[in-house]
Amino acid sequence: MALLKAARVADVPTLDVVAPGLVVETADAAASIAAAAAAAGQQQQRRFSVIGHRGKGMNALASADRRLQEVRENTVRSFNDAARFPVDFVEFDVQVTKDGCPIIFHDDFINTEEDGKISRKRVTDLQLEDFLHYGPQNEQGKIGKLLLRKMKDGRMLNWNVQSEDALCTLQEAFEKVNPRLGFNVELKFDDYIEYQDKELTRILQAILKVIFEYAKDRPILFSSFQPDAAQLMRKLQSKYPVYFLTNGGTEIYTDVRRNSLEEAIKLCLGSGLEGIVSEARGIFRHPAAIPKIKESNLSLLTYGTLNNVPEAVYMQHLMGVNGVIVDLVPEITEAVSELIALPEPGPEVENLSNNQAAKGPATPNFSQREISFLLRLIPELVQ
C-alpha cells in the first residue's frame, strides 16, 4: 500500500513533474478546474467539512507511515480521538450480523488463525457474540481471537496497532462517542453479492431501529456504494440525508450506475438522494461534473488518498466541494484551518445533516501558487 502523508505539494515528488505528452490535456483540465471553481464562487460562503475516515483514519498495515497504525479503526476510541480535532463527522462502516445486530466493521470477511490454519468467515454470517470475540477485549482478563487482515496482494498480516480497542456495535457508538460528533453511516455491502429487496430491507430496518432509538440530536447522514440500498434507505425514511458513494469512473463495475459522476447524478435525482460522495480523483479528472452537481442542488463530498494532501483539499474547497473524508485527521484539520477561513458552525452541521447550506465557496482568487499546483497535479490524475 502506498505511503500516505499530509504534505505540501512541493514535498510530493510525483506531482512535481509534468508528464511528457500531457501538456495540452493538463492545460485543458486545469482550465476546467478553474472554471468549476469560478462557477462555485458565484455561490455564497459555506462551511467546508472535514470528516474522519473510520474515525481517526483507516489502518493501513502494510504502509510505512506509522500514523496509519495509531489507533484501531472503526472503534469507539478512534471516534473519540477524532473528536479532539475540528471534524464535523466520523465516517464508519455498518454491517448486520446474522442475528440482526448492526456492528461497525469495514471488511466483508474476518480472519483469524486456528490450529495453525487461517480461518476466514463472512462477517454477516456471524452471531453478535462470535463477532465480539475477535480482537482486543475491554473486559479485564479476557483474551480475544487473533485478528488478521488480508492485503490486496494476498498477504495476511497481524492486525496490530499502537492504540487498541474492542470491536463495537452501532448502539455502543451512539452511547459512548462524543455527542457533538456527527455520524456518516456507510451502509456496507459486498460488491460480489446480488442482494434482493427483502434482504436489503431486513438489513436497513435493523440499522434504522438503532438509529431512531439512540441518535437523539446527533447529526446523521447515510452513504452507500450499493445503489439499491441507497434508494431503499431513502424510501424507508426521510429524516436523514442519503448520499450515493461512487468511484467517479476511476473503477468500472457491471452496474453502470456506479461507473461515472453523470450516472451518480442521475441516480440521486431519480431517487431523491441528497448528495454524492466521490473518489477525489474522479472530481479532478471530471471537474465539469461539479457545476452539474451544484445545479442539481446536491451536496458533494470526496474520499481517497489525495485528501491527505492539503493543497488537493484546498483546491476542492475552491471548486465547490462541501467536505472531505480524510485519514490524517490532525494534519488535514490543521491545514484546513490555515488555508480556509471557516465560518463558525451552527448548532448543527446544516450543509450535511440537513442539506440546507449553500453549495459553493466564496469567490476564489487564483494565485500563481495555485495555478502551479494544478499544473503539477493534473498529470498524476489523468494517467
Side-chain angles (χ1 to χ4, degrees):
M1 181 171 294
L3 176 67
L4 305 183
K5 65 175 183 176
R8 302 297 177 220
V9 69
D11 297 327
V12 185
T14 55
L15 301 183
D16 285 336
V17 180
V18 177
L22 290 176
V23 175
V24 174
E25 189 170 2
T26 295
D28 289 344
S32 295
I33 290 177
Q42 302 306 312
Q43 306 291 334
Q44 63 184 7
Q45 177 73 23
R46 57 88 176 95
R47 180 170 176 79
F48 184 78
S49 294
V50 178
I51 300 170
H53 186 210
R54 306 182 199 174
K56 194 167 176 273
M58 70 174 182
N59 295 156
L61 303 181
S63 173
D65 193 333
R66 297 293 293 170
R67 292 173 296 179
L68 299 176
Q69 298 146 34
E70 280 187 1
V71 58
R72 184 172 293 280
E73 67 179 39
N74 278 335
T75 61
V76 168
R77 178 168 298 176
S78 186
F79 305 147
N80 281 327
D81 280 1
R84 295 189 290 109
F85 301 91
V87 297
D88 296 311
F89 285 74
V90 285
E91 179 272 354
F92 53 75
D93 309 274
V94 173
Q95 304 184 58
V96 174
T97 60
K98 190 173 183 179
D99 50 345
C101 182
I103 52 91
I104 300 177
F105 195 76
H106 173 270
D107 300 357
D108 296 319
F109 292 89
I110 198 163
N111 302 287
T112 190
E113 188 176 67
E114 297 176 347
D115 300 324
K117 296 181 180 179
I118 300 298
S119 171
R120 185 170 184 256
K121 296 180 180 178
R122 184 175 292 279
V123 172
T124 53
D125 285 343
L126 297 172
Q127 302 284 337
L128 173 62
E129 184 179 5
D130 295 333
F131 171 76
L132 295 177
H133 280 164
Y134 285 86
Q137 303 289 302
N138 288 333
E139 186 178 333
Q140 189 172 4
K142 190 174 181 180
I143 300 175
K145 294 181 180 180
L146 174 70
L147 259 181
L148 304 174
R149 193 171 212 180
K150 188 175 183 179
M151 302 293 100
K152 288 185 178 180
D153 61 8
R155 287 180 297 160
M156 283 285 185
L157 300 181
N158 285 336
W159 198 335
N160 297 325
V161 295
Q162 299 166 45
S163 181
E164 289 287 11
D165 197 16
L167 303 181
C168 69
T169 65
L170 180 60
Q171 178 180 331
E172 284 180 283
F174 279 111
E175 293 173 333
K176 299 177 181 179
V177 174
N178 190 319
R180 74 97 183 157
L181 201 61
F183 284 172
N184 172 186
V185 179
E186 180 181 338
L187 309 168
K188 180 73 177 178
F189 294 92
D190 191 326
D191 287 340
Y192 300 99
I193 292 179
E194 187 173 335
Y195 294 88
Q196 301 301 315
D197 284 349
K198 184 178 180 180
E199 177 68 1
L200 287 176
T201 300
R202 180 189 70 83
I203 293 168
L204 298 184
Q205 286 181 334
I207 294 170
L208 284 172
K209 183 176 184 297
V210 172
I211 287 177
F212 286 148
E213 185 171 353
Y214 294 97
K216 299 180 181 177
D217 296 327
R218 189 188 299 271
I220 303 290
L221 68 90
F222 294 110
S223 62
S224 186
F225 284 104
Q226 222 288 354
D228 295 329
Q231 291 175 312
L232 183 56
M233 181 55 88
R234 167 47 64 239
K235 292 178 181 178
L236 291 174
Q237 62 84 45
S238 59
K239 182 176 182 178
Y240 302 113
V242 182
Y243 285 49
F244 180 54
L245 270 159
T246 177
N247 288 296
T250 60
E251 295 181 44
I252 300 301
Y253 297 87
T254 54
D255 189 332
V256 296
R257 295 174 295 178
R258 299 185 60 180
N259 289 340
S260 70
L261 289 167
E262 289 75 13
E263 287 292 336
I265 294 170
K266 188 188 305 182
L267 178 74
C268 289
L269 294 179
S271 308
L273 308 187
E274 283 81 359
I276 293 170
V277 187
S278 173
E279 221 285 357
R281 288 177 300 154
I283 292 299
F284 280 111
R285 289 178 180 180
H286 305 287
I290 296 179
K292 295 178 182 178
I293 292 170
K294 298 301 171 180
E295 290 164 7
S296 301
N297 200 33
L298 299 171
S299 292
L300 175 62
L301 306 175
T302 68
Y303 70 94
T305 57
L306 272 176
N307 286 352
N308 292 298
V309 179
E311 286 89 349
V313 170
Y314 179 51
M315 295 311 300
Q316 291 178 71
H317 167 69
L318 293 178
M319 293 162 67
V321 172
N322 294 95
V324 289
I325 300 172
V326 308
D327 291 301
L328 303 181
V329 167
E331 293 83 354
I332 296 302
T333 52
E334 180 182 4
V336 165
S337 68
E338 293 175 357
L339 293 169
I340 303 169
L342 293 175
E344 287 298 317
E348 294 181 288
V349 187
E350 293 180 338
N351 63 312
L352 299 183
S353 62
N354 288 336
N355 200 42
Q356 292 173 348
K359 301 297 192 291
T363 303
N365 253 328
F366 279 91
S367 66
Q368 186 57 45
R369 162 185 168 275
E370 292 157 2
I371 296 299
S372 177
F373 170 70
L374 285 173
L375 294 176
R376 291 195 296 270
L377 178 64
I378 299 302
E380 180 79 4
L381 300 175
V382 298
Q383 291 179 30

